Amino acid sequence: MVLDLGDRSTSGGVLMRREWEPEELIAAWTLLDDDWELVSNKSGATRLGFSLMLKFFELEARFPRHVGEFPKAAVDYMAGQVKVEPDLLANYQWTGSTIEYHRSQVRKALGFRESTRADEDALIEWLARDICPMVLTDEGIRAAMLSRCRNLKIEPPGRTERIVRGCRARFERTFCERVTGCLSADSTAALLELATGADGFLAELKADPGRLGLETLLEEIVKLRRSKALGLPADLFGGFSDKLVASWRARAMASHPSDFAANPEPVRLTLLAALAWCRTAEITDALVDLLIGLVSKVNTKAERRVEQAMYAEVKKVHGKTAKLYSIAEASLAAPDKPVRQVIFPAVGESTLRALVAEAKADAKTYRARVRTVLTSSYSSYYRRMLPKLLAAIEFKCNNTAYRPVMDALDLLGRYADMPSKIRHYDALIRCRSPA
């Protein structure tokens, strides 16, 4: 007879580890003095099956559902201890009065008791309250349930799936009640309208920003303004984990108007609130990234234009050292004569002009010209962006070192709607006379 010890899942979805080192087998699967007292009156397949089930329960705090849950290495090791052939394990009866008696022996020896319906209800309540807000997978919930049962010395209930479904349903109901209870009547109406997808804003809200550019930035600003108009509280999901909110956002992202309509209203509102709340934050971050990217793009383009212009103006003078030596030598030879008579014949007027142009092309001149090009680009094109961006994003900073930046933002905000050709100055700004 061939014994099937393959890797088969249990009804609870939790598997015992399959690989064991020799030292681990000795530590976990060795029968001790009290164990031998329970095993001594058993023989054959019953002796081997009971011994494995006893040590399995010690490790897992639950009974195996079938023979395939025993690791092959553990079966071979236990068979050597109890002097029974490993293949005889296939004859161990998994139903009937014998195995029920064996389970009661194991429970009594390890101080456990059978679970009741009241225990199941208590587990559902505990899982919904303490675990579901943090653990999002069924596997994680099952693992938490088994750990709880071990601590309470309760044999895990057999209806694991009922418990998982029950705690999830209870938590979802509580979660939705909490979220919808924080929504105003106007926000509720706006979210329900959003769910229909009638005006296309639902699809826009889900969409990521397009290619970097001014038009993209303006579109994202409009999207942010519309999402803020939903009126969701800033602390709507306060107290809940980011992973939980992100899971509801992902669920909403994958939903169509028909999917929203198929859900009860509390679930529908919570899905939409999670989507809008997360997307508002994401769009804000994207706008900041777009702004930084645009500033970098404008600056890079300005630098490139200045570099090209300066390269056209300045031709590097070859043999500069020799020419400077010639100028110095000619000057010393005739210090009292005019430059045109002494210097020009030595190196040439055009060479002198090239040397002067190259000297002027220093870092200070470069930065000034870049700033001029930047100002021109902003005034003629990118100024369309700033007023809308300042109106869409709220800037805050408590660091006094950056107070001038905040003052500048305030100034720009106050004068944002003024025509670009008109100059306005803040009353606190005083023009300094040149020294």
Side-chain angles (χ1 to χ4, degrees):
M1 182 178 295
V2 178
L3 182 63
D4 180 12
L5 293 176
D7 209 357
R8 290 155 36 188
S9 63
T10 71
S11 61
V14 180
L15 283 173
M16 170 175 273
R17 53 183 292 197
R18 312 308 295 171
E19 302 297 328
W20 293 77
E21 297 295 330
E23 305 81 31
E24 297 173 329
L25 285 172
I26 294 172
W29 294 89
T30 299
L31 294 174
L32 305 178
D33 294 341
D34 292 341
D35 301 331
W36 282 111
E37 292 182 9
L38 296 171
V39 174
S40 60
N41 62 344
K42 299 173 178 62
S43 62
T46 300
R47 183 182 180 90
L48 178 57
F50 177 87
S51 301
L52 286 166
M53 189 161 60
L54 173 65
K55 305 309 288 186
F56 186 100
F57 198 98
E58 280 187 6
L59 294 170
E60 298 286 296
R62 65 180 179 88
F63 289 114
R65 303 297 179 182
H66 49 73
V67 69
E69 286 204 66
F70 294 131
K72 186 177 185 306
V75 173
D76 293 339
Y77 178 69
M78 185 62 73
Q81 290 184 80
V82 298
K83 310 302 183 197
V84 176
E85 289 298 321
D87 290 349
L88 290 181
L89 181 60
N91 298 329
Y92 186 66
Q93 299 299 313
W94 288 87
T95 59
S97 58
T98 300
I99 194 171
E100 291 300 326
Y101 174 65
H102 289 173
R103 287 172 178 164
S104 67
Q105 282 187 295
V106 171
R107 281 192 292 266
K108 182 178 180 180
L110 299 179
F112 278 70
R113 64 173 177 82
E114 290 186 84
S115 60
T116 64
R117 183 60 178 267
D119 292 324
E120 293 184 17
D121 294 339
L123 282 171
I124 290 174
E125 181 179 356
W126 176 77
L127 289 168
R129 184 186 67 247
D130 295 348
I131 302 301
C132 288
M134 300 177 294
V135 179
L136 306 182
T137 64
D138 289 351
E139 292 76 10
I141 292 175
R142 293 188 190 102
M145 183 195 71
L146 292 176
S147 177
R148 178 74 168 178
C149 289
R150 180 191 290 273
N151 293 335
L152 296 176
K153 293 286 187 177
I154 300 173
E155 180 187 351
R159 299 185 295 180
T160 304
E161 295 307 315
R162 171 189 176 271
I163 294 174
V164 172
R165 288 194 302 269
C167 71
R168 281 202 174 280
R170 180 171 298 189
F171 169 71
E172 184 171 287
R173 184 168 58 253
T174 303
F175 179 60
C176 292
E177 289 174 354
R178 163 76 182 276
V179 172
T180 55
C182 295
L183 298 176
S184 66
D186 290 342
S187 294
T188 299
L191 288 174
L192 292 176
E193 177 65 23
L194 175 65
T196 65
D199 61 356
F201 182 52
L202 179 61
E204 293 178 15
L205 190 61
K206 293 180 179 181
D208 290 327
R211 186 177 179 181
L212 177 63
L214 178 57
E215 296 305 322
T216 299
L217 186 62
L218 296 177
E219 290 171 2
E220 290 299 293
I221 289 173
V222 173
K223 189 188 299 183
L224 179 62
R225 186 182 300 118
R226 293 192 65 180
S227 65
K228 285 185 174 181
L230 295 171
L232 301 182
D235 60 346
L236 180 60
F237 293 99
F240 295 105
S241 71
D242 292 340
K243 288 185 177 180
L244 173 65
V245 180
S247 70
W248 281 74
R249 174 224 186 258
R251 183 175 162 187
M253 285 286 286
S255 299
H256 300 287
S258 58
D259 300 318
F260 288 120
N263 283 300
E265 184 172 298
V267 176
R268 191 187 325 160
L269 288 170
T270 304
L271 285 169
L272 290 162
L275 173 64
W277 193 81
C278 289
R279 289 297 290 145
T280 299
E282 291 165 0
I283 293 169
T284 301
D285 292 342
L287 278 175
V288 174
D289 291 339
L290 283 171
L291 174 61
I292 294 172
L294 277 175
V295 171
S296 176
K297 180 179 179 181
V298 175
N299 190 66
T300 301
K301 290 177 67 175
E303 289 178 348
R304 189 178 298 118
R305 288 177 59 186
V306 171
E307 287 169 358
Q308 291 173 349
M310 294 179 73
Y311 180 77
E313 295 173 4
V314 179
K315 295 180 180 179
K316 296 293 183 180
V317 180
H318 298 289
K320 184 191 307 181
T321 303
K323 289 178 173 58
L324 291 174
Y325 173 77
S326 298
I327 292 172
E329 186 179 38
S331 300
L332 292 173
D336 297 328
K337 291 185 178 181
V339 171
R340 187 173 296 278
Q341 296 178 8
V342 177
I343 305 301
F344 283 9
V347 295
E349 183 178 353
S350 60
T351 300
L352 282 174
R353 293 186 182 279
L355 286 170
V356 172
E358 183 176 339
K360 287 184 177 180
D362 58 9
K364 184 176 181 180
T365 304
Y366 174 79
R367 288 195 299 269
R369 295 184 67 173
V370 168
R371 182 179 180 85
T372 301
V373 175
L374 275 173
T375 303
S376 176
S377 297
Y378 167 75
S379 300
S380 61
Y381 183 64
Y382 291 100
R383 195 175 191 276
R384 295 169 52 197
M385 163 192 72
L386 190 60
K388 295 181 176 62
L389 184 61
L390 293 178
I393 301 178
E394 182 180 359
F395 296 89
K396 292 183 178 180
C397 181
N398 296 325
N399 191 331
T400 56
Y402 298 106
R403 190 66 250 171
V405 177
M406 300 304 296
D407 292 339
L409 288 170
D410 179 63
L411 179 67
L412 289 171
R414 282 185 279 123
Y415 294 146
D417 296 329
M418 296 295 179
S420 60
K421 294 182 179 180
I422 301 177
R423 293 177 177 271
H424 292 269
Y425 299 93
D426 186 86
L428 298 178
I429 296 178
R430 295 290 181 266
C431 295
R432 295 182 179 178
S433 300

